[in-house]
Amino acid sequence: MKQHTQFTKAVGNAREINELLRRYGVKFGIYKNGVFNEQFFPFDPIPRVISAEDFKRMEKGLVQRVNALNEFLFDIYHDKKIVRDGIIPEDFIYISSGYLAEFEGIDPKNKVYSHISGIDLVQAEDGEWYILEDNLRIPSGASYPLIARDLTRIAAPQAFEENAVVDNRGYAKLLTETMEYANCGGVRAILTPGRYNAAYFEHSYLAEHTGSVLVQNDELFVEDNILYHRTYSGGKTRIGVLYRRIADEYLDPLTFLPQSLIGIPNLMEAYRSGNVGIINAPGNGVADDKGIYYFVPKMIKYYLSEEPILKNAPTYLPFYEEDMKYVMEHLDTLVIKDVAEAGGYGVVFGRDLTKEKLEEFCRTIIAEPRRFIAQEVIDFLDLPILDNGETVMRKADLRAFVLSGEKTKVWASGLTRFSRNPDSFVVNSSQGGGFKDTWVLSR
């Protein structure tokens, strides 16, 4: 492989690419304590390389996992067999902030809930891949490697001429097929909160590449339980599938938050009536609750009668007495995650706490056992990045995108995020991380 040398020589091009990304508005934002933080998402030109053999195994495991999660979502909003059979306690369903009782008994078209799943993985030093998190609500990030690959094809075309890299431009086709599978009759649309949203670039980029209409809530209305787009000429066009890029609680002010200014009144009535598909389905959050993560291997066995191909990070639930005992005895070596947090927030490494803070944290976990999970710290791989012209090693994860339509497929690419802090395991962009392209080799 010659790509490392080629990309190292292209540092000047990398600076140019990052400047272009700034101009395109390739940024990332997250709300924390009511404050919106927006920042540039820096690109590193040295790609992550995944062999064809490694990807094949990963692909099989990801398809298996997402299929089980979709089975779980249908079950939880219908018969709840997995609860009745004692596989998952009720506490982990009904008090989850992601569970929405309003969607009990609703059948999404073709029974698919998570059409676009963002599964976060890390690779350990021994080469084993571990799942860290399942993102089934509004997983973002596919546009970043897409635009970066487009720009690096210009900056270093020889890298793609001399290496057998799978073309990642197929994502638009996969997404289009997935949207059509959920289409209830009408045009495809992507719902954005607006141009001031930090992910607006991604919304507009995906709309352009899938031939979908990019819309805001004030352009849409529901009439006779059918969702329409108000045209400039004063007419209306039926929307058959809506890829929403806003959270559940803001989707419909008549069902959820009445103060929502970005939702569509009566959208949920159109959805319940089977007249519009929504990607991803509302209520998916119950399946990507960090507490539910613990049970996904059990789901795979329960719904698919298969052994999990990809492993969870070793995880403990303080909810269980035996796990609580282990967590109390090993807190200084574990990483603790608040199940209600996202974006790298609410992650605490026990080794970083003083004795007094450890004792205080123990009391908090004992008082609120459902609020936390604990995991062994996986010493996952460092990847090379360029830092002021020098090659240094940093921790990196991978967000794989799994699309569920007529078949469940894994995009042969992904978003590799890395930490720019040499002492940090947290790679989230909201914590100052950057991203790089992910090369899947064809042979």
Side-chain angles (χ1 to χ4, degrees):
M1 294 296 296
K2 301 177 182 179
Q3 82 282 350
H4 189 292
T5 302
Q6 292 168 346
F7 274 75
T8 302
K9 288 178 179 178
V11 178
N13 297 102
R15 293 194 188 99
E16 181 181 343
I17 289 169
N18 274 292
E19 181 55 36
L20 284 171
L21 292 173
R22 285 181 189 274
R23 289 166 57 186
Y24 282 130
V26 182
K27 299 178 182 178
F28 184 88
I30 192 169
Y31 281 95
K32 178 66 177 176
N33 297 327
V35 177
F36 183 68
N37 299 299
E38 183 182 54
Q39 60 196 50
F40 176 62
F41 201 9
F43 169 70
D44 181 76
I46 305 174
R48 160 175 245 153
V49 179
I50 300 175
S51 71
E53 182 180 359
D54 209 8
F55 180 75
K56 186 176 181 180
R57 182 174 187 277
M58 185 195 304
E59 179 181 38
K60 190 175 180 181
L62 289 168
V63 167
Q64 178 194 60
R65 189 176 183 94
V66 169
N67 283 344
L69 285 163
N70 267 308
E71 291 278 354
F72 166 73
L73 281 162
F74 187 84
D75 185 20
I76 284 306
Y77 286 110
H78 291 80
D79 295 335
K80 302 170 184 57
K81 294 177 183 177
I82 200 166
V83 174
R84 291 208 313 266
D85 290 344
I87 308 300
I88 300 179
E90 287 185 346
D91 304 62
F92 283 83
I93 305 298
Y94 304 118
I95 64 172
S96 169
S97 61
Y99 168 74
L100 300 178
E102 295 87 347
F103 295 99
E104 282 289 331
I106 295 177
D107 292 351
K109 186 175 180 184
N110 296 313
K111 298 183 179 180
V112 177
Y113 282 78
S114 187
H115 307 84
I116 305 164
S117 307
I119 311 297
D120 295 343
L121 310 92
V122 293
Q123 189 173 26
E125 294 289 347
D126 63 1
E128 187 78 44
W129 288 91
Y130 289 89
I131 306 287
L132 285 189
E133 197 169 290
D134 304 297
N135 298 281
L136 311 181
R137 302 185 209 201
I138 320 170
S140 63
S143 64
Y144 302 132
L146 281 167
I147 187 68
R149 180 81 64 91
D150 283 345
L151 294 174
T152 50
R153 280 191 188 94
I154 298 170
Q158 69 280 9
F160 300 101
E161 294 167 358
E162 298 176 10
N163 296 292
V165 182
V166 177
D167 193 330
N168 73 348
R169 285 172 286 196
Y171 185 79
K173 183 173 184 291
L174 280 177
L175 180 55
T176 302
E177 290 173 349
T178 301
M179 292 178 74
E180 279 303 307
Y181 194 64
N183 197 328
C184 296
V187 302
R188 299 184 299 273
I190 295 180
L191 174 63
T192 177
R195 64 178 63 255
Y196 296 108
N197 182 270
Y200 183 75
F201 162 76
E202 176 155 291
H203 307 164
S204 58
Y205 185 91
L206 294 178
E208 178 184 353
H209 285 76
T210 59
S212 302
V213 182
L214 184 66
V215 296
Q216 292 182 231
N217 67 313
D218 57 1
E219 301 172 61
L220 303 176
F221 66 96
V222 174
E223 185 177 89
D224 296 328
N225 288 340
I226 294 175
L227 180 65
Y228 290 102
H229 177 220
R230 187 178 289 107
T231 63
Y232 292 111
S233 61
K236 60 184 182 182
T237 302
R238 180 173 175 174
I239 302 293
V241 59
L242 189 69
Y243 178 9
R244 50 69 176 256
R245 297 301 298 254
I246 65 176
D248 288 356
E249 59 267 31
Y250 296 102
L251 274 175
D252 184 342
L254 299 182
T255 301
F256 303 114
L257 290 177
Q259 62 268 40
S260 172
L261 299 178
I262 56 176
I264 306 157
N266 290 312
L267 174 62
M268 291 304 103
E269 287 304 313
Y271 179 64
R272 290 187 187 100
S273 300
N275 293 327
V276 65
I278 298 180
I279 294 176
N280 279 334
N284 274 12
V286 67
D288 69 11
D289 180 305
K290 289 184 177 65
I292 290 295
Y293 162 92
Y294 175 91
F295 297 99
V296 178
K298 297 177 186 288
M299 288 180 202
I300 292 170
K301 295 177 184 178
Y302 182 78
Y303 293 116
L304 308 181
S305 300
E306 298 171 0
E307 289 297 318
I309 296 168
L310 297 174
K311 297 179 181 178
N312 275 12
T315 303
Y316 309 95
L317 285 186
F319 175 85
Y320 291 121
E321 183 178 345
E322 184 179 349
D323 283 15
M324 174 70 86
K325 183 174 184 293
Y326 183 89
V327 171
M328 293 297 104
E329 293 174 353
H330 299 86
L331 188 61
D332 60 334
T333 66
L334 300 172
V335 56
I336 311 298
K337 297 180 179 180
D338 188 322
V339 301
E341 297 282 4
Y345 293 103
V347 177
V348 177
F349 287 83
R351 66 191 179 201
D352 296 335
L353 300 179
T354 63
K355 183 180 178 181
E356 291 74 20
K357 285 292 184 182
L358 278 171
E359 291 174 353
E360 180 183 339
F361 205 20
C362 280
R363 290 192 292 271
T364 302
I365 294 171
I366 291 170
E368 302 179 79
R370 171 63 177 86
R371 180 181 165 187
F372 301 97
I373 64 169
Q375 294 180 322
E376 301 288 354
V377 179
I378 297 175
D379 188 16
F380 55 96
L381 283 177
D382 290 6
L383 294 180
I385 71 164
L386 290 176
D387 185 19
N388 294 320
E390 298 290 327
T391 301
V392 298
M393 305 300 287
R394 295 288 185 269
K395 296 297 180 187
D397 78 350
L398 171 67
R399 172 164 292 181
F401 290 89
V402 186
L403 286 85
S404 300
E406 187 172 359
K407 294 183 178 179
T408 302
K409 299 179 181 180
V410 182
W411 181 36
S413 185
L415 177 65
T416 292
R417 301 175 296 183
F418 62 87
S419 171
R420 290 192 288 169
N421 181 344
D423 302 316
S424 177
F425 279 62
V426 180
V427 302
N428 301 70
S429 52
S430 55
Q431 304 295 308
F435 81 101
K436 54 172 68 213
D437 196 2
T438 305
W439 286 13
V440 174
L441 301 184
S442 59
R443 60 176 184 273

mmCIF file of all heavy atoms in Angstrom, residues 22 39-43 385-387 392-395 417-424 426-429 431-435:
data_model
loop_
_atom_site.group_PDB
_atom_site.id
_atom_site.type_symbol
_atom_site.label_atom_id
_atom_site.label_comp_id
_atom_site.label_asym_id
_atom_site.label_seq_id
_atom_site.Cartn_x
_atom_site.Cartn_y
_atom_site.Cartn_z
ATOM 1 N N ARG A 22 -14.341 23.984 5.269
ATOM 2 C CA ARG A 22 -14.850 25.125 6.047
ATOM 3 C C ARG A 22 -15.828 25.937 5.202
ATOM 4 O O ARG A 22 -16.898 26.338 5.665
ATOM 5 C CB ARG A 22 -13.694 26.021 6.498
ATOM 6 C CG ARG A 22 -12.859 25.479 7.628
ATOM 7 C CD ARG A 22 -11.755 26.473 7.987
ATOM 8 N NE ARG A 22 -10.805 25.901 8.914
ATOM 9 C CZ ARG A 22 -10.948 25.903 10.233
ATOM 10 N NH1 ARG A 22 -12.010 26.475 10.764
ATOM 11 N NH2 ARG A 22 -10.041 25.352 11.016
ATOM 12 N N GLN A 39 -18.669 23.629 15.878
ATOM 13 C CA GLN A 39 -17.247 23.730 15.592
ATOM 14 C C GLN A 39 -16.918 23.029 14.276
ATOM 15 O O GLN A 39 -17.676 22.197 13.784
ATOM 16 C CB GLN A 39 -16.428 23.121 16.731
ATOM 17 C CG GLN A 39 -16.715 21.659 16.999
ATOM 18 C CD GLN A 39 -16.182 21.207 18.341
ATOM 19 O OE1 GLN A 39 -16.418 21.835 19.363
ATOM 20 N NE2 GLN A 39 -15.441 20.114 18.343
ATOM 21 N N PHE A 40 -15.771 23.404 13.751
ATOM 22 C CA PHE A 40 -15.284 22.792 12.517
ATOM 23 C C PHE A 40 -14.859 21.358 12.802
ATOM 24 O O PHE A 40 -14.357 21.033 13.879
ATOM 25 C CB PHE A 40 -14.101 23.608 11.994
ATOM 26 C CG PHE A 40 -13.444 23.018 10.771
ATOM 27 C CD1 PHE A 40 -14.150 22.881 9.597
ATOM 28 C CD2 PHE A 40 -12.127 22.607 10.803
ATOM 29 C CE1 PHE A 40 -13.561 22.328 8.467
ATOM 30 C CE2 PHE A 40 -11.523 22.066 9.688
ATOM 31 C CZ PHE A 40 -12.238 21.930 8.517
ATOM 32 N N PHE A 41 -15.057 20.489 11.840
ATOM 33 C CA PHE A 41 -14.720 19.073 11.955
ATOM 34 C C PHE A 41 -13.473 18.827 11.102
ATOM 35 O O PHE A 41 -13.566 18.613 9.900
ATOM 36 C CB PHE A 41 -15.904 18.250 11.458
ATOM 37 C CG PHE A 41 -15.942 16.826 11.936
ATOM 38 C CD1 PHE A 41 -15.085 16.351 12.904
ATOM 39 C CD2 PHE A 41 -16.870 15.945 11.391
ATOM 40 C CE1 PHE A 41 -15.138 15.037 13.337
ATOM 41 C CE2 PHE A 41 -16.938 14.626 11.798
ATOM 42 C CZ PHE A 41 -16.076 14.177 12.783
ATOM 43 N N PRO A 42 -12.273 18.874 11.692
ATOM 44 C CA PRO A 42 -11.040 18.807 10.891
ATOM 45 C C PRO A 42 -10.820 17.438 10.260
ATOM 46 O O PRO A 42 -11.080 16.408 10.858
ATOM 47 C CB PRO A 42 -9.941 19.135 11.903
ATOM 48 C CG PRO A 42 -10.518 18.802 13.230
ATOM 49 C CD PRO A 42 -11.994 19.065 13.120
ATOM 50 N N PHE A 43 -10.290 17.477 9.039
ATOM 51 C CA PHE A 43 -10.047 16.269 8.248
ATOM 52 C C PHE A 43 -8.566 15.933 8.243
ATOM 53 O O PHE A 43 -7.710 16.805 8.080
ATOM 54 C CB PHE A 43 -10.533 16.502 6.817
ATOM 55 C CG PHE A 43 -10.118 15.432 5.838
ATOM 56 C CD1 PHE A 43 -10.668 14.167 5.893
ATOM 57 C CD2 PHE A 43 -9.180 15.702 4.849
ATOM 58 C CE1 PHE A 43 -10.294 13.183 4.984
ATOM 59 C CE2 PHE A 43 -8.801 14.733 3.932
ATOM 60 C CZ PHE A 43 -9.359 13.466 4.000
ATOM 61 N N ILE A 385 -2.041 10.096 12.284
ATOM 62 C CA ILE A 385 -2.617 11.338 11.781
ATOM 63 C C ILE A 385 -1.474 12.334 11.574
ATOM 64 O O ILE A 385 -0.373 12.165 12.110
ATOM 65 C CB ILE A 385 -3.660 11.944 12.738
ATOM 66 C CG1 ILE A 385 -2.990 12.510 14.005
ATOM 67 C CG2 ILE A 385 -4.720 10.925 13.106
ATOM 68 C CD1 ILE A 385 -3.878 13.433 14.797
ATOM 69 N N LEU A 386 -1.734 13.359 10.799
ATOM 70 C CA LEU A 386 -0.753 14.418 10.602
ATOM 71 C C LEU A 386 -1.049 15.563 11.564
ATOM 72 O O LEU A 386 -2.168 16.061 11.608
ATOM 73 C CB LEU A 386 -0.793 14.922 9.156
ATOM 74 C CG LEU A 386 -0.273 13.953 8.093
ATOM 75 C CD1 LEU A 386 -0.466 14.545 6.702
ATOM 76 C CD2 LEU A 386 1.191 13.614 8.329
ATOM 77 N N ASP A 387 -0.040 15.943 12.330
ATOM 78 C CA ASP A 387 -0.188 17.019 13.311
ATOM 79 C C ASP A 387 0.962 18.000 13.112
ATOM 80 O O ASP A 387 2.103 17.715 13.448
ATOM 81 C CB ASP A 387 -0.159 16.443 14.726
ATOM 82 C CG ASP A 387 -0.420 17.493 15.793
ATOM 83 O OD1 ASP A 387 -0.965 18.562 15.449
ATOM 84 O OD2 ASP A 387 -0.076 17.253 16.959
ATOM 85 N N VAL A 392 1.758 11.406 13.935
ATOM 86 C CA VAL A 392 1.616 10.968 15.321
ATOM 87 C C VAL A 392 0.481 9.951 15.391
ATOM 88 O O VAL A 392 -0.328 9.843 14.465
ATOM 89 C CB VAL A 392 1.339 12.154 16.273
ATOM 90 C CG1 VAL A 392 2.504 13.134 16.268
ATOM 91 C CG2 VAL A 392 0.054 12.886 15.867
ATOM 92 N N MET A 393 0.423 9.212 16.479
ATOM 93 C CA MET A 393 -0.596 8.175 16.632
ATOM 94 C C MET A 393 -1.677 8.645 17.599
ATOM 95 O O MET A 393 -1.384 9.225 18.648
ATOM 96 C CB MET A 393 0.038 6.877 17.152
ATOM 97 C CG MET A 393 1.191 6.360 16.302
ATOM 98 S SD MET A 393 0.713 6.002 14.588
ATOM 99 C CE MET A 393 -0.244 4.497 14.826
ATOM 100 N N ARG A 394 -2.948 8.395 17.229
ATOM 101 C CA ARG A 394 -4.068 8.802 18.052
ATOM 102 C C ARG A 394 -5.159 7.715 18.040
ATOM 103 O O ARG A 394 -5.298 6.966 17.073
ATOM 104 C CB ARG A 394 -4.681 10.111 17.536
ATOM 105 C CG ARG A 394 -3.756 11.319 17.632
ATOM 106 C CD ARG A 394 -3.560 11.779 19.066
ATOM 107 N NE ARG A 394 -2.768 12.996 19.146
ATOM 108 C CZ ARG A 394 -1.448 13.047 19.283
ATOM 109 N NH1 ARG A 394 -0.756 11.909 19.356
ATOM 110 N NH2 ARG A 394 -0.821 14.207 19.360
ATOM 111 N N LYS A 395 -5.947 7.670 19.103
ATOM 112 C CA LYS A 395 -7.063 6.735 19.189
ATOM 113 C C LYS A 395 -8.126 7.083 18.152
ATOM 114 O O LYS A 395 -8.375 8.256 17.874
ATOM 115 C CB LYS A 395 -7.695 6.773 20.583
ATOM 116 C CG LYS A 395 -6.777 6.305 21.708
ATOM 117 C CD LYS A 395 -6.392 4.851 21.538
ATOM 118 C CE LYS A 395 -5.478 4.381 22.660
ATOM 119 N NZ LYS A 395 -4.964 3.012 22.407
ATOM 120 N N ARG A 417 -13.411 8.529 13.207
ATOM 121 C CA ARG A 417 -13.169 9.698 14.046
ATOM 122 C C ARG A 417 -11.953 9.432 14.926
ATOM 123 O O ARG A 417 -11.750 8.309 15.386
ATOM 124 C CB ARG A 417 -14.397 9.997 14.914
ATOM 125 C CG ARG A 417 -15.658 10.259 14.104
ATOM 126 C CD ARG A 417 -16.871 10.420 14.995
ATOM 127 N NE ARG A 417 -17.154 9.190 15.728
ATOM 128 C CZ ARG A 417 -18.198 9.020 16.540
ATOM 129 N NH1 ARG A 417 -19.047 10.010 16.731
ATOM 130 N NH2 ARG A 417 -18.403 7.879 17.159
ATOM 131 N N PHE A 418 -11.185 10.463 15.168
ATOM 132 C CA PHE A 418 -9.981 10.285 15.989
ATOM 133 C C PHE A 418 -9.876 11.396 17.017
ATOM 134 O O PHE A 418 -10.404 12.492 16.844
ATOM 135 C CB PHE A 418 -8.719 10.241 15.115
ATOM 136 C CG PHE A 418 -8.458 11.503 14.336
ATOM 137 C CD1 PHE A 418 -7.738 12.564 14.891
ATOM 138 C CD2 PHE A 418 -8.926 11.647 13.037
ATOM 139 C CE1 PHE A 418 -7.508 13.728 14.172
ATOM 140 C CE2 PHE A 418 -8.705 12.811 12.314
ATOM 141 C CZ PHE A 418 -7.985 13.852 12.881
ATOM 142 N N SER A 419 -9.173 11.082 18.089
ATOM 143 C CA SER A 419 -8.908 12.077 19.121
ATOM 144 C C SER A 419 -7.668 12.867 18.738
ATOM 145 O O SER A 419 -6.669 12.296 18.290
ATOM 146 C CB SER A 419 -8.684 11.388 20.474
ATOM 147 O OG SER A 419 -8.229 12.322 21.429
ATOM 148 N N ARG A 420 -7.717 14.169 18.922
ATOM 149 C CA ARG A 420 -6.516 14.982 18.696
ATOM 150 C C ARG A 420 -5.715 15.157 19.980
ATOM 151 O O ARG A 420 -4.635 15.736 19.969
ATOM 152 C CB ARG A 420 -6.917 16.340 18.114
ATOM 153 C CG ARG A 420 -7.422 16.218 16.684
ATOM 154 C CD ARG A 420 -7.537 17.557 16.006
ATOM 155 N NE ARG A 420 -8.660 18.336 16.536
ATOM 156 C CZ ARG A 420 -8.852 19.630 16.271
ATOM 157 N NH1 ARG A 420 -7.996 20.288 15.524
ATOM 158 N NH2 ARG A 420 -9.910 20.251 16.765
ATOM 159 N N ASN A 421 -6.260 14.637 21.072
ATOM 160 C CA ASN A 421 -5.571 14.671 22.365
ATOM 161 C C ASN A 421 -4.826 13.354 22.558
ATOM 162 O O ASN A 421 -5.435 12.288 22.574
ATOM 163 C CB ASN A 421 -6.607 14.865 23.477
ATOM 164 C CG ASN A 421 -5.989 14.938 24.861
ATOM 165 O OD1 ASN A 421 -4.834 14.561 25.065
ATOM 166 N ND2 ASN A 421 -6.760 15.401 25.825
ATOM 167 N N PRO A 422 -3.496 13.379 22.713
ATOM 168 C CA PRO A 422 -2.727 12.130 22.808
ATOM 169 C C PRO A 422 -3.084 11.292 24.031
ATOM 170 O O PRO A 422 -2.792 10.092 24.070
ATOM 171 C CB PRO A 422 -1.273 12.614 22.880
ATOM 172 C CG PRO A 422 -1.348 14.028 23.349
ATOM 173 C CD PRO A 422 -2.623 14.567 22.795
ATOM 174 N N ASP A 423 -3.717 11.878 25.037
ATOM 175 C CA ASP A 423 -4.036 11.158 26.270
ATOM 176 C C ASP A 423 -5.506 10.773 26.373
ATOM 177 O O ASP A 423 -5.947 10.296 27.412
ATOM 178 C CB ASP A 423 -3.667 12.014 27.490
ATOM 179 C CG ASP A 423 -2.195 12.393 27.511
ATOM 180 O OD1 ASP A 423 -1.357 11.503 27.234
ATOM 181 O OD2 ASP A 423 -1.880 13.569 27.775
ATOM 182 N N SER A 424 -6.270 10.974 25.292
ATOM 183 C CA SER A 424 -7.718 10.766 25.375
ATOM 184 C C SER A 424 -8.185 9.585 24.534
ATOM 185 O O SER A 424 -7.692 9.359 23.429
ATOM 186 C CB SER A 424 -8.465 12.029 24.928
ATOM 187 O OG SER A 424 -9.856 11.814 24.932
ATOM 188 N N VAL A 426 -11.531 9.509 24.012
ATOM 189 C CA VAL A 426 -12.794 10.048 23.516
ATOM 190 C C VAL A 426 -12.557 10.704 22.162
ATOM 191 O O VAL A 426 -11.798 11.668 22.050
ATOM 192 C CB VAL A 426 -13.392 11.064 24.511
ATOM 193 C CG1 VAL A 426 -14.719 11.606 23.976
ATOM 194 C CG2 VAL A 426 -13.599 10.408 25.876
ATOM 195 N N VAL A 427 -13.218 10.177 21.131
ATOM 196 C CA VAL A 427 -12.949 10.616 19.757
ATOM 197 C C VAL A 427 -14.050 11.509 19.186
ATOM 198 O O VAL A 427 -13.922 11.992 18.066
ATOM 199 C CB VAL A 427 -12.764 9.397 18.826
ATOM 200 C CG1 VAL A 427 -11.642 8.498 19.308
ATOM 201 C CG2 VAL A 427 -14.070 8.606 18.712
ATOM 202 N N ASN A 428 -15.108 11.721 19.933
ATOM 203 C CA ASN A 428 -16.264 12.455 19.403
ATOM 204 C C ASN A 428 -15.881 13.842 18.904
ATOM 205 O O ASN A 428 -15.071 14.537 19.511
ATOM 206 C CB ASN A 428 -17.342 12.594 20.476
ATOM 207 C CG ASN A 428 -17.821 11.247 20.971
ATOM 208 O OD1 ASN A 428 -17.076 10.550 21.645
ATOM 209 N ND2 ASN A 428 -19.033 10.882 20.627
ATOM 210 N N SER A 429 -16.506 14.224 17.805
ATOM 211 C CA SER A 429 -16.240 15.542 17.241
ATOM 212 C C SER A 429 -16.598 16.639 18.232
ATOM 213 O O SER A 429 -15.938 17.681 18.280
ATOM 214 C CB SER A 429 -17.048 15.723 15.949
ATOM 215 O OG SER A 429 -18.413 15.425 16.169
ATOM 216 N N GLN A 431 -16.055 16.639 21.208
ATOM 217 C CA GLN A 431 -14.983 16.736 22.188
ATOM 218 C C GLN A 431 -13.665 17.146 21.533
ATOM 219 O O GLN A 431 -12.585 16.944 22.089
ATOM 220 C CB GLN A 431 -14.796 15.385 22.889
ATOM 221 C CG GLN A 431 -16.063 14.868 23.539
ATOM 222 C CD GLN A 431 -16.529 15.745 24.681
ATOM 223 O OE1 GLN A 431 -15.780 16.063 25.585
ATOM 224 N NE2 GLN A 431 -17.777 16.153 24.631
ATOM 225 N N GLY A 432 -13.759 17.706 20.330
ATOM 226 C CA GLY A 432 -12.571 18.233 19.670
ATOM 227 C C GLY A 432 -11.894 17.276 18.709
ATOM 228 O O GLY A 432 -10.800 17.560 18.216
ATOM 229 N N GLY A 433 -12.524 16.142 18.414
ATOM 230 C CA GLY A 433 -11.917 15.170 17.521
ATOM 231 C C GLY A 433 -11.993 15.582 16.061
ATOM 232 O O GLY A 433 -12.648 16.551 15.689
ATOM 233 N N GLY A 434 -11.301 14.818 15.219
ATOM 234 C CA GLY A 434 -11.338 15.038 13.778
ATOM 235 C C GLY A 434 -11.809 13.781 13.078
ATOM 236 O O GLY A 434 -12.198 12.802 13.706
ATOM 237 N N PHE A 435 -11.785 13.797 11.736
ATOM 238 C CA PHE A 435 -12.223 12.613 11.002
ATOM 239 C C PHE A 435 -11.287 12.340 9.835
ATOM 240 O O PHE A 435 -10.526 13.206 9.397
ATOM 241 C CB PHE A 435 -13.659 12.782 10.500
ATOM 242 C CG PHE A 435 -13.823 13.591 9.237
ATOM 243 C CD1 PHE A 435 -14.016 12.977 8.003
ATOM 244 C CD2 PHE A 435 -13.787 14.987 9.274
ATOM 245 C CE1 PHE A 435 -14.169 13.722 6.843
ATOM 246 C CE2 PHE A 435 -13.954 15.739 8.119
ATOM 247 C CZ PHE A 435 -14.150 15.109 6.901
#
